[in-house]
Amino acid sequence: MNKGLIVSCQALENEPLHSSFIMGKMAVAAKEGGAVGIRANGINDIKEIKAQVDLPIIGIIKKDYPNMISYITPTIKEVEELVASKVDVIAVDATVNQDVEFLKSLKKLYPNQMFMADIATVEEGIRAEELGFDYIGTTLVGYTEQSKGLNNFDVLKELIKKSNKPVIAEGNFDTPEKAKLAMEFGAYSVVVGGAITRPQLITKKFAQEVEKAL
């Protein structure tokens, strides 16, 4: 992965831009804007983005299973699909919600594959480093029960201080100023998603401010 801005180009099935074609074009736009990497969800989107841009890709597969909290690349089935797609980095939920034996097995099964740990607390980040992950991402800060109330900048700063692996700032770094500050703190890269690639959310922010003036 390159240092700098990584743009998350994702649209789920219930979202207006759900389309591999559109995500491919979104990746092209991200590259033109200065992105140095892409985060993408699903094999079809990854294939299309790889065909459109030559940027490194962090690949995930979001999948819900009954009685399972983890949904970001949650089982070995999704990992195998991503490995076969030849994606540069595979991100998985590496919080305490995920089976630690599954996390331990990844580098043993695929020693040449780069893996990113999506974590929610400093302790989870340190554990992920011990388990052999190549990158640590603050992706799930505030989204899990154990991280409710935590500040993403606080977790980022503490992880950078304690970890020997590259720490990627991700999760609510949703303004240019926040992204810049994350890099100044020492983040290896910063991932920005909805603030760039989900126009319905961007529009909502504008609409809410305009309505205040009505």
Side-chain angles (χ1 to χ4, degrees):
M1 295 302 300
N2 300 316
K3 291 185 176 182
L5 174 65
I6 298 168
V7 174
S8 182
C9 298
Q10 299 182 45
L12 301 177
E13 290 183 10
N14 62 338
E15 295 184 88
L17 299 190
H18 179 66
S19 159
S20 295
F21 172 79
I22 293 174
M23 289 302 103
K25 295 305 180 186
M26 193 71 78
V28 173
K31 181 180 179 181
E32 288 187 8
V36 300
I38 303 292
R39 180 164 164 131
N41 171 38
I43 300 302
N44 291 334
D45 283 11
I46 290 169
K47 286 181 178 178
E48 182 62 26
I49 290 169
K50 284 170 72 75
Q52 294 288 334
V53 299
D54 58 355
L55 296 177
I57 299 173
I58 300 171
I60 65 171
I61 295 177
K62 289 182 176 178
K63 179 81 172 179
D64 288 313
Y65 285 98
N67 303 314
M68 193 172 187
I69 298 174
S70 300
Y71 64 94
I72 298 175
T73 320
T75 75
I76 199 66
K77 178 180 181 294
E78 289 76 43
V79 172
E80 289 171 349
E81 292 176 13
L82 288 166
V83 169
S85 77
K86 297 186 178 355
V87 74
D88 300 277
V89 179
I90 296 173
V92 306
D93 181 331
T95 69
V96 294
N97 296 323
Q98 181 56 278
D99 176 32
V100 70
E101 294 304 319
F102 165 71
L103 299 176
K104 283 180 181 178
S105 72
L106 297 178
K107 290 300 278 188
K108 293 178 183 177
L109 291 171
Y110 303 104
N112 297 320
Q113 175 68 56
M114 304 288 276
F115 285 95
M116 173 176 166
D118 287 348
I119 58 85
T121 68
V122 173
E123 293 75 20
E124 290 168 350
I126 299 304
R127 185 185 70 162
E129 179 176 345
E130 293 170 352
L131 292 173
F133 280 85
D134 303 284
Y135 299 95
I136 314 296
T138 59
T139 316
L140 295 170
V141 176
Y143 292 99
T144 64
E145 192 64 35
Q146 64 271 22
S147 66
K148 283 183 178 177
L150 293 183
N151 180 280
N152 56 343
F153 277 103
D154 290 341
V155 175
L156 176 69
K157 287 188 287 185
E158 193 68 16
L159 262 180
I160 290 170
K161 190 186 303 181
K162 293 184 175 180
S163 177
N164 294 312
K165 293 294 178 72
V167 178
I168 295 177
E170 181 173 2
N172 294 314
F173 295 92
D174 53 3
T175 68
E177 293 76 19
K178 289 180 183 178
K180 177 174 178 282
L181 190 57
M183 295 298 290
E184 289 175 346
F185 283 154
Y188 184 83
S189 299
V190 57
V191 177
V192 180
I196 295 174
T197 59
R198 283 190 162 101
Q200 72 273 24
L201 300 182
I202 301 166
T203 303
K204 186 176 181 180
K205 286 184 178 180
F206 278 92
Q208 287 174 337
E209 292 303 310
V210 169
E211 285 172 5
K212 293 176 184 177
L214 295 178

